[in-house]
Amino acid sequence: MIRRIASSSLLAAALGCALAAAAAAEPSGPALYEEHCAACHGADRLGGTGPALIPESLSRLRGAKLTSTIAEGRAATQMPAFAGQLSEEEIAALAAFVRVPLAEVPVWRTEQIAASRSFVPDYSPAEAPVFQADPLNLFLVVETGDHHVSVLDGDGFTVMDRFATPFAVHGGPKFTPDGRFVFIMSRDGWVQKYDLWSLAEVGRVRAGLNSRNIAISKDGLHLAVANYLPRTLTILSTRDLAVERIFDVAAKDGTTSRVSAVYQAPQRDSFILALKDAPEVWEISTDPKAAAVYEGYVHSYEKGMVEALPTSEGLFALRRIEVSEPIDDFFFTPDYRNLIGASRDGARGVVVNLTVGREIAELPLPGLPHLGSGISWLRDGHRVMATPHLKEPRLTVIDIESWGVVDTIETLGPGFFLRSHENSPYVWSDVFFGPNRDVMHVIDKQSLKIVRTLRPVSGATVAHVEFDRDGRHALVSVWEDEGAVIVYDAATLEEVKRLPMRKPSGKYNVWNKITFSDGTSH
């Protein structure tokens, strides 16, 4: 009996040692991160010379993309390849570690934002453009393949400058009203200021830790940054990138919310916010003389008879519009009286009148409408808008006076972007998803019929169109790492020029953006 117990004890001890050895042999993600990543990406994973390595910032690196990036590095960046230093198991452990959410929401307030601000020491603003091209017909082309932006002359279609951006630019650049300066935002919250006249970067600041997009005020003085992490809206001075205001985003009942997007509403002199987690739409005034906002009961609005205390007034006064459920991905009518937001179930569009502050209509839009890419134009004397659907092979055309569906246009697959121009008779619609992602449809605005289907590069993703200032040319992205921007004659639909680019995504014409062209999203 004693001999049997001793043998069992020895076996258990041996098994315990074997399990301990196996556990010790398993790669430690935190240890590997500290040794190989922390110097560039920060000990807290919030970024340094490299981007933040947290789940919110890694959404583009799904599945095997993250492990392959660690193994192979990133071309034309400081990110090295680790395949020669780390085993497959170690790379997998490192990838698993950076996908784990942070234990606590980091503090990112005025002090931290101010500490991140930097300016280019030798930047000197030019008194006039340093080039001969029309400064209002320039394009910015975002090249996601190696995180650069190319400045393109919209007349001769030549690259005038190419500069590095922060990691993963998102949401579209925003221009000052005179078209001189442009602001570019990255997913991990960096905002970069660039002087188009001087063809030079001015500086940058980190306004959030995970951000969605930016909007500039009507007067060009304020820049709003919509954040997921932390749950804030940061407003910066466009002059020196200093913090002017931080809004902690929470509904009336205290529910905190991420900010899906922020938009400029020029006719209203305000910012409009879409909230991801709360059933409210926010309007923040950019008018220093904005009227007082009352969130409680008011006895009378008669002049001199108001018996209530305002919750806010003047610059950055906040007005809440309560809706039945959270909505986002907004399309605005040209007068900015109404917006259409996508419902949570992805099957409906909810129309909100911003003037009266309530929902006024609901639209059947199954298949996850991408309303943020919607555009509008005049058809038979009526203003209509069209939206693609991310899960259905069609476009929906809506009369924005009656809020009725005019027509649906069947396409060769779900699309992402729509574009046109006031001087063009056509709408250009990509097929971003599925086997026909190499297709671009050209649709007549009046007949709503597809008049041409372009397939410029077989098998490649072809997406996102932007017109030049006069609408004479349409620029199309071949959205591949060894891609291109293709210039088409917008009338004949024939190719004019092809410019090699590194995975070009969005293209942004200065004039079309600062004038809020009907044919482009805002």
Side-chain angles (χ1 to χ4, degrees):
M1 177 70 74
I2 295 172
R3 196 175 295 141
R4 189 177 299 163
I5 292 172
S7 298
S8 299
S9 298
L10 288 170
L11 181 61
L15 182 59
C17 289
L19 290 172
E26 290 181 3
S28 167
L32 289 165
Y33 180 88
E34 183 178 356
E35 180 180 355
H36 298 285
C37 310
C40 292
H41 297 279
D44 53 8
R45 294 164 51 200
L46 295 178
T49 56
L53 295 182
I54 55 178
E56 294 88 345
S57 298
L58 296 171
S59 59
R60 295 187 182 185
L61 297 178
R62 298 183 178 90
K65 288 183 178 180
L66 179 56
T67 53
S68 64
T69 299
I70 297 171
E72 301 166 13
R74 280 186 173 274
T77 73
Q78 297 179 47
M79 173 67 184
F82 285 96
Q85 302 178 51
L86 303 177
S87 67
E88 290 184 7
E89 293 76 13
E90 289 173 321
I91 290 173
L94 193 52
F97 173 66
V98 299
R99 284 194 174 110
V100 175
L102 298 174
E104 297 180 355
V105 176
V107 173
W108 201 255
R109 308 296 294 185
T110 301
E111 179 183 353
Q112 290 77 20
I113 296 171
S116 74
R117 189 174 55 152
S118 65
F119 296 95
V120 177
D122 59 354
Y123 165 72
S124 178
E127 294 184 1
V130 296
F131 47 83
Q132 297 300 313
D134 178 358
L136 296 180
N137 196 29
L138 303 181
F139 289 83
L140 261 64
V141 182
V142 176
E143 297 183 64
T144 60
D146 61 356
H147 308 289
H148 280 70
V149 162
S150 286
V151 182
L152 192 65
D153 168 13
D155 296 315
F157 303 110
T158 58
V159 175
M160 301 165 54
D161 189 29
R162 190 172 190 268
F163 60 93
T165 66
F167 177 79
V169 167
H170 188 259
K174 297 297 184 290
F175 301 91
T176 51
D178 60 1
R180 170 161 189 171
F181 295 100
V182 64
F183 297 86
I184 299 166
M185 188 215 73
S186 72
R187 273 284 176 90
D188 52 0
W190 284 99
V191 174
Q192 180 181 30
K193 181 179 181 180
Y194 183 87
D195 182 349
L196 284 166
W197 283 16
S198 307
L199 296 179
E201 180 177 347
V202 179
R204 59 182 69 186
V205 67
R206 192 173 190 184
L209 300 175
N210 182 251
S211 304
R212 298 300 294 173
N213 79 323
I214 53 178
I216 197 165
S217 61
K218 177 182 178 180
D219 58 15
L221 298 179
H222 317 288
L223 190 78
V225 185
N227 296 319
Y228 263 22
L229 186 71
R231 296 184 170 198
T232 59
L233 180 85
T234 303
I235 300 181
L236 304 172
S237 163
T238 58
R239 183 180 62 84
D240 60 3
L241 302 179
V243 175
E244 294 187 312
R245 180 78 179 267
I246 296 176
F247 283 87
D248 294 302
V249 180
K252 271 188 176 182
D253 64 3
T255 302
T256 63
S257 178
R258 296 165 289 175
V259 184
S260 295
V262 58
Y263 307 86
Q264 181 200 149
Q267 287 89 332
R268 306 180 67 82
D269 203 349
S270 64
F271 293 129
I272 305 294
L273 277 65
L275 305 189
K276 188 72 173 177
D277 310 295
E280 294 181 359
V281 174
W282 281 18
E283 181 170 23
I284 296 175
S285 177
T286 50
D287 178 3
K289 299 179 180 179
V293 176
Y294 302 93
E295 291 189 349
Y297 290 106
V298 178
H299 179 262
S300 170
Y301 282 100
E302 186 178 353
K303 187 175 181 180
M305 297 294 292
V306 175
E307 297 176 6
L309 294 175
T311 52
S312 59
E313 60 185 316
L315 185 64
F316 306 144
L318 167 62
R319 173 181 176 233
R320 302 170 188 265
I321 298 173
E322 296 185 61
V323 289
S324 57
E325 63 176 317
I327 55 175
D328 59 11
D329 195 21
F330 292 168
F331 166 85
F332 294 88
T333 54
D335 58 8
Y336 280 79
R337 290 185 61 199
N338 301 295
L339 67 81
I340 310 175
S343 64
R344 179 62 59 87
D345 60 14
R348 294 169 291 118
V350 178
V351 184
V352 177
N353 184 293
L354 293 170
T355 302
V356 301
R358 61 179 177 84
E359 298 174 27
I360 61 169
E362 189 173 285
L363 305 170
L365 295 173
L368 197 58
H370 188 18
L371 294 163
S373 284
I375 60 171
S376 74
W377 67 93
L378 285 172
R379 178 177 183 264
D380 297 332
H382 293 273
R383 174 69 62 172
V384 299
M385 69 84 64
T387 179
H389 297 256
L390 301 180
K391 292 185 177 180
E392 297 285 349
R394 63 177 57 90
L395 310 177
T396 300
V397 183
I398 299 163
D399 186 315
I400 62 174
E401 295 171 6
S402 68
W403 302 115
V405 174
V406 174
D407 203 353
T408 56
I409 303 170
E410 302 299 319
T411 63
L412 290 176
F416 203 89
F417 298 105
L418 289 183
R419 289 292 185 271
S420 187
H421 191 277
E422 292 85 348
N423 296 333
S424 172
Y426 304 125
V427 171
W428 294 56
S429 171
D430 59 39
V431 176
F432 199 80
F433 306 99
N436 294 311
R437 65 186 183 278
D438 56 355
V439 157
M440 180 69 67
H441 292 305
V442 183
I443 301 163
D444 185 275
K445 287 180 177 178
Q446 301 307 313
S447 69
L448 304 181
K449 303 297 183 184
I450 296 173
V451 297
R452 184 83 65 88
T453 294
L454 304 172
R455 206 175 228 122
V457 181
S458 180
T461 299
V462 176
H464 194 277
V465 176
E466 179 74 315
F467 284 77
D468 60 10
R469 175 177 179 170
D470 298 322
R472 293 183 298 112
H473 297 94
L475 280 63
V476 175
S477 288
V478 179
W479 202 309
E480 303 290 343
D481 193 54
E482 297 299 328
V485 166
I486 303 176
V487 182
Y488 285 92
D489 184 302
T492 67
L493 309 182
E494 297 299 322
E495 182 175 332
V496 174
K497 192 169 186 178
R498 188 173 295 212
L499 302 166
M501 298 272 182
R502 291 291 307 279
K503 202 171 186 178
S505 54
K507 300 162 298 301
Y508 307 89
N509 179 267
V510 174
W511 177 259
N512 291 340
K513 291 302 182 185
I514 66 175
T515 60
F516 286 75
S517 165
D518 283 347
T520 186
S521 61
H522 308 129

